[in-house]
Amino acid sequence: MTPRGRIGVVAPSYAEYVRCWEKAGHDVIQMAFDQLEDSLQGLDGLILANPNNPDGRWIETQALNDLAETLARQKAWLLVDEAFVDSRPRYSLLNDALPANVMVLRSVGKFFGLAGVRLGFVFADAAVRSLLARRMGPWAVSGVARWAGKQALNDSRWQQQTRRKLPRQIDRLTALLQQAGLTVTGGTDLFVYCQTPEAAIIHEILAQRGILVCRFEQPAALRFGLPPESGWKKLQEAMNKIPAGITLR
C-alpha cells in the first residue's frame, strides 16, 4: 500500500509487525522506546503499540502527538496499534481528531475476548481508508463477525463492569506468579509480562499441562493472560511443578 521504505518498529513488540513489513519489501529497523526521539531521522513510517505488546508500556497522548508532528515534518507516518487500549480508553488517540499522517488500529480480540471473529478497525485519513477499501474488497468481514462486534461495542454496561474487575484479576495473577518465584516486569489490565532466563523451560512445563502462554526470545520473557475462573487452580498447580533449581529471575 505504501512505497517500499525505511520503517521503524518499537521493540520489543508483536513479532508480526517485522515479519509482515519485511515480507512486503520494506527495510525494517527495530528501536528501543527510550531511544526513539534520536532514531526518527530517515524513517518513512513508525509502528508502535499503545499499550505496548508484550511489556505493557503506556505512552501518553501528548508524546504520541509529538512523535506524529516530528514524523510529519519529514513526510513520514505513524501507525499506532491500540489492540489492548480498551481497558483504559483515556489513552486512545481516538479521543481527539487524528493528524493526517496518523493511523490507528483497533480490535475486538483482546478486551472483548472475540479473537476468533477476526474483526478489526482502522481509523485514518479518508484517502488511506479509500485505498484500503479498494485493496480489501467488499467482503473483508463476515456477517457473523459484524453481528458479534456490534453486540460487544454496544454493551457499555459490560464494558464498565469489566474495566472495574480487570485490575483485581491482574493483582491476583501477579501475586500468583510472584509466589512462584517470577519477577513481574510489565503488563496491562489484560496480561502480565515476566522476563526470565528460563522462559523456554517454563513455557514447556506449562504447555505440557495444557496452559499456553506467549514466549519471547529477545529478551527472554513470558506473557501470561488472565485465566478463566476455572483455570486459576490449574495454573497454580502447574507453576508449583517448576523445578526448584532453575533461576527464575
Side-chain angles (χ1 to χ4, degrees):
M1 192 179 81
T2 62
R4 292 179 180 178
R6 192 166 185 263
I7 308 300
V9 174
V10 177
S13 66
Y14 180 52
E16 290 298 289
Y17 300 148
V18 174
R19 188 188 72 83
C20 290
W21 285 84
E22 285 185 339
K23 184 178 179 181
H26 297 274
D27 181 18
V28 178
I29 299 93
Q30 298 188 63
M31 51 190 64
F33 178 82
D34 295 338
Q35 302 171 346
L36 200 53
E37 291 186 7
D38 299 325
S39 306
L40 299 179
Q41 187 66 36
L43 292 183
D44 297 295
L46 175 66
I47 302 169
L48 57 82
N50 194 37
N52 190 43
N53 174 22
D55 61 12
R57 183 196 296 265
W58 290 92
I59 307 174
E60 295 291 342
T61 300
Q62 186 57 55
L64 289 172
N65 286 330
D66 290 344
L67 281 174
E69 184 176 341
T70 300
L71 290 165
R73 288 197 292 268
Q74 60 193 54
K75 301 187 184 305
W77 45 261
L78 172 64
L79 175 62
V80 181
D81 185 347
E82 292 188 347
F84 287 95
V85 83
D86 290 282
S87 64
R88 300 189 186 186
R90 67 182 181 276
Y91 282 96
S92 176
L93 284 178
L94 301 182
N95 292 317
D96 297 298
L98 289 179
N101 68 323
V102 175
M103 297 164 282
V104 173
L105 304 180
R106 295 289 287 270
S107 167
V108 297
K110 310 303 182 185
F111 175 80
F112 295 98
L114 295 174
V117 303
R118 314 305 296 167
L119 177 63
F121 311 90
V122 59
F123 298 82
D125 181 77
V128 174
R129 299 198 311 270
S130 178
L131 179 57
L132 282 172
R134 292 197 301 271
R135 288 290 185 91
M136 297 178 70
W139 312 115
V141 180
S142 70
V144 172
R146 291 164 63 95
W147 179 87
K150 183 177 180 180
Q151 303 308 307
L153 294 172
N154 283 337
D155 194 347
S156 58
R157 181 179 179 183
W158 177 89
Q159 294 172 35
Q160 293 170 2
Q161 292 173 341
T162 301
R163 289 187 183 111
R164 290 193 295 267
K165 179 175 65 175
L166 285 174
R168 296 193 298 270
Q169 292 182 313
I170 283 295
D171 288 345
R172 182 180 179 183
L173 179 58
T174 298
L176 186 156
L177 297 175
Q178 289 176 334
Q179 289 170 7
L182 286 172
T183 299
V184 173
T185 53
T188 69
D189 294 328
L190 293 166
F191 63 80
V192 168
Y193 178 70
C194 302
Q195 290 188 27
T196 168
E198 305 297 347
I201 295 175
I202 298 171
H203 181 270
E204 180 65 21
I205 291 172
L206 295 177
Q208 290 174 355
R209 288 159 178 79
I211 299 173
L212 301 181
V213 299
C214 291
R215 180 169 72 91
F216 302 89
E217 296 182 353
Q218 295 295 332
L222 297 169
R223 194 192 74 195
F224 292 80
L226 288 168
E229 193 58 39
S230 60
W232 288 98
K233 182 179 179 181
K234 183 177 181 179
L235 177 60
Q236 178 74 71
E237 292 174 347
M239 293 302 296
N240 290 339
K241 297 295 183 180
I242 297 174
I246 69 173
T247 303
L248 298 182
R249 293 181 173 85

